[in-house]
């Protein structure tokens, strides 16, 4: 240790003090926690969008098939199928909005660090 320049040792000590100070560690940890929460909420919104897209595909297909059968048979029961598929889409859109609003609320209420 005798052959190490005192300025090098002082620089190392100052860097350690600056990076390991309680306030720096707390702020850094809070920032990492915020990023984790933000990523989790983004994934929740993305999953909800995927579910909405999948339900839309299913509902659109059901409506197409029901419309085809309605035109071919004139049977009014297919009107109920169309209405049910439309209701599925309406509810899916409501739930997507709720997920987005909840995610935004979580992020707004979480301290960024």
């Amino acid at each position: 240790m005798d052959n190490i320049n005192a300025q090098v040792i002082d620089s190392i000590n100052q860097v350690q003090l600056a990076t390991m100070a309680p306030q720096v560690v707390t702020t850094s940890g809070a920032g990492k926690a915020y990023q984790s929460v933000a990523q989790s909420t983004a994934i929740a919104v993305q999953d909800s969008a995927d579910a909405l897209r999948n339900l839309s595909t299913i509902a659109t297909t059901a409506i197409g098939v029901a419309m085809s059968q309605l035109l071919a048979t004139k049977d009014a029961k297919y009107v109920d199928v169309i209405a049910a598929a439309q209701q599925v889409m309406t509810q899916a859109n409501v739930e997507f909005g709720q997920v987005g609003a909840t995610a935004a609320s979580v992020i707004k209420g979480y301290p960024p660090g």
Side-chain angles (χ1 to χ4, degrees), residues 3 5-6 9 13 37 39-40 43-44 49 58 61 64 73 76 79 82 88 93 95 99 102 104:
N3 59 353
N5 188 317
I9 293 173
N13 287 335
V37 169
Q39 184 177 18
S40 295
I43 290 169
I58 293 167
T61 301
T73 67
V79 173
I82 292 168
V88 166
N93 279 307
E95 290 174 12
V99 169
T102 300

Side-chain angles (χ1 to χ4, degrees), residues 3-113:
N3 59 353
I4 297 176
N5 188 317
Q7 288 178 324
V8 171
I9 293 173
D10 184 50
S11 290
I12 291 170
N13 287 335
Q14 286 184 31
V15 167
Q16 184 178 12
L17 285 174
T19 58
M20 299 305 292
Q23 182 59 36
V24 172
V25 172
T26 300
T27 301
S28 176
K32 289 175 185 174
Y34 179 81
Q35 288 175 346
S36 179
V37 169
Q39 184 177 18
S40 295
T41 57
I43 290 169
V45 171
Q46 192 172 23
D47 288 348
S48 183
D50 289 343
L52 179 62
R53 187 178 306 106
N54 293 338
L55 281 172
S56 176
T57 300
I58 293 167
T60 301
T61 301
I63 290 170
V65 170
M67 184 65 74
S68 174
Q69 290 298 313
L70 177 63
L71 293 172
T73 67
K74 310 287 192 255
D75 189 341
K77 69 181 178 185
Y78 295 108
V79 173
D80 294 336
V81 173
I82 292 168
Q86 290 171 330
Q87 181 57 38
V88 166
M89 281 308 303
T90 299
Q91 185 59 37
N93 279 307
V94 168
E95 290 174 12
F96 178 72
Q98 290 171 341
V99 169
T102 300
S105 176
V106 167
I107 286 297
K108 287 178 186 173
Y110 203 86

